[in-house]
Every structure is written in structure tokens, then in C-alpha cells.
Amino acid sequence: MSDPNAFDGPREPTGFVCVWSPGGVQAAAVRVSGELNLVTAPQVVQVLDEALEHARLIMVNVRDLSFVDDSGLQVLVDATRRARTSGARLVLVGVSAELAQWFAVTGTRPLVDMLPGTPSAAGGREDAVARGFDPLLNPVNARIVAARVMDIPDRALWAHSLDGTIRCGWAPAAEDLRLPVGAPLEVYLDHQGAVNGWWHTASRVAVNQRHLTSIDAAPTTAAGLACQGACELIWQAPAAVHVLDHDERCLTCAGALVLA
Ligand SMILES: [Zn+2]
């Protein structure tokens, strides 16, 4: 039976299950249920590592976890770090209020990525699927590059990706951009390797530069695009109207976009 106060003490593992399955393009889904503790943590590590070997986006459904202890929390944090450093993304879905609070009080909230959504009803991925799109089917998943900001001269942003290449993305005026040099980014490429946009996950600053004709020709107006999908990001988009004209989807979750 689920204990509403289960996040503050160790218990014996019961009904534990952790499995992964391939999803869409370079994506995988993980479902873990029962108690995530010192005993079950190694199995979760193994499953998450297997998923990370096969996918760039791993959505971990934690809705049916009844208990998470310190070691369990560390497993999720460590796996998120391994994903980020390898250019992949691990996203927790169905996070309960208790687990969210557990991340908050331990100071680990910035170290994990989670989709908003209430775990009691439809939440996270299920909610997105119900609204007509599925993050696992986002073709951008295969073209995520982890990068770090090297410099922000004027309106140009240079990102050094993990494969050693230097990529230029569009950035709002430097004084409006609060990214520290060295900040890790997710960079989204098109099939030719050009930058479609980027996302600073810690601050949720996100830029969609689809249909921007030139990095050098700074646009005179920049509008925001609100994602109606699971990520709920507001994309700063210098060519927002053109993005909508082409029926483009959100870069991270493939959700529909509207002018913010
Ligand atoms: Zn989105």
C-alpha cells in the first residue's frame, strides 16, 4: 500500500519493477514502480544505462514509485548527469508532489529534468500524447547536441559541442541574456547540422531560430512562441511568424506552437 509519508525513511522493497522499451526516433521509455532504494538502485542504474546506450531522449515514468531514498535520488541525479554529458536527455515524468519536494529540500532539483504534470491523472508524456503529440516521436531527438557556451559577443552565441565542433546560434542582445560563459546547453540541429535552436535547461531560456535567414543579420523584432506541449517552454524566436507559417513544432517536445 502506498504511504503518503514514504519519502522520509527506508523500507523493505516491495513490488519493484524497472524496465525500458524503445520509443520513437532515438527515444526510449522507462517505467519504474515500487520502492527505489539501496537494494533496487543498482537495477535502475543498469536499466537507465541500457536505455542511454540506445536513445538520446529517455523519458522515465516515476508515477508508480511509492518510495525513494537518498540512494534512489542519487541514481536519478547521476543518470541525468550521464545523459547530459553524452548529449542525451533524461526526463522524469509523473513526478509526485512528494518526490518534487524531496528534490527541492535536498537541493537536487536543478540536477534533474522533469516535465510538468500531475501524477494522479494524466501527467507528463501521457498528457502530451492525449493532446495530440508524443515527445518520444519528436524527430529532433536524434539531433540533440550537448554544448557549452564559449562566448556571447553581441548577438552571436558560440557553443562548443562535445564532439569538438564549434557551432554558432542566434542569441538575443547580450545584455538580455543571462547565460554564464561555460553554461551547458542543449543545441538542436537540422539534418544538415545547422543550429535550429538551443535551450539552457537550468534557466529555461530557449531560442528557436528556425527560418532566421542569417545569424549576422539581427532581426528587428523577436517574438515568443509558447509551446502547447509537454515542455511548456516559451521560445524566443526571431522569425516567429515564419516558424508558424511552416507549421513547425517545438524543438524539445514536438508540441504545437502559438505566439506568446
Ligand atoms: Zn515543447
Side-chain angles (χ1 to χ4, degrees):
M1 182 176 293
S2 171
D3 177 353
N5 300 313
F7 288 91
D8 55 8
R11 298 196 308 180
E12 292 298 313
T14 55
F16 175 79
V17 174
C18 185
V19 292
W20 79 275
S21 56
V25 179
Q26 298 264 338
V30 174
R31 179 172 289 273
V32 55
S33 62
E35 305 193 358
L36 175 46
N37 57 26
L38 198 60
V39 175
T40 59
Q43 189 174 335
V44 177
V45 171
Q46 182 179 349
V47 168
L48 292 177
D49 279 348
E50 288 174 8
L52 276 165
E53 281 181 21
H54 290 82
R56 306 292 294 274
L57 171 68
I58 297 93
M59 302 197 75
V60 184
N61 189 332
V62 297
R63 185 175 61 191
D64 295 329
L65 278 178
S66 57
F67 169 77
V68 179
D69 72 1
D70 286 339
S71 59
L73 206 70
Q74 197 60 44
V75 162
L76 299 175
V77 169
D78 289 345
T80 301
R81 184 173 58 240
R82 286 198 299 281
R84 288 176 176 176
T85 55
S86 66
R89 182 149 46 106
L90 189 147
V91 181
L92 304 178
V93 297
V95 178
S96 67
E98 291 88 349
L99 182 54
Q101 178 71 7
W102 191 214
F103 281 119
V105 299
T106 54
T108 53
R109 176 62 188 89
L111 305 181
V112 294
D113 296 318
M114 61 179 71
L115 292 181
T118 55
S120 53
R125 183 191 172 203
E126 288 90 343
D127 186 38
V129 172
R131 284 188 279 166
F133 36 83
D134 184 344
L136 289 185
L137 300 181
N138 183 359
V140 173
N141 295 336
R143 301 192 294 276
I144 299 172
V145 171
R148 58 186 173 84
V149 176
M150 294 179 65
D151 198 0
I152 309 172
D154 196 12
R155 289 174 182 272
L157 175 144
W158 293 91
H160 192 173
S161 69
L162 292 178
D163 65 4
T165 57
I166 310 296
R167 301 176 189 275
C168 182
W170 180 85
E175 62 267 25
D176 297 331
L177 195 64
R178 299 285 183 247
L179 298 187
V181 171
L185 301 174
E186 280 187 15
V187 176
Y188 309 105
L189 310 178
D190 67 15
H191 62 284
Q192 295 177 317
V195 177
N196 276 348
W198 53 268
W199 176 27
H200 181 230
T201 56
S203 67
R204 294 179 69 80
V205 171
V207 166
N208 180 320
Q209 63 182 59
R210 295 281 289 149
H211 304 289
L212 181 65
T213 53
S214 166
I215 292 293
D216 298 323
T220 54
T221 59
L225 290 170
C227 175
Q228 306 294 287
C231 79
E232 300 182 344
L233 284 173
I234 302 292
W235 292 90
Q236 298 184 53
V241 174
H242 297 302
V243 172
L244 293 180
D245 282 347
H246 288 79
D247 195 28
E248 301 282 355
R249 292 280 178 135
C250 172
L251 291 172
T252 69
C253 79
L257 298 169
V258 298
L259 284 176

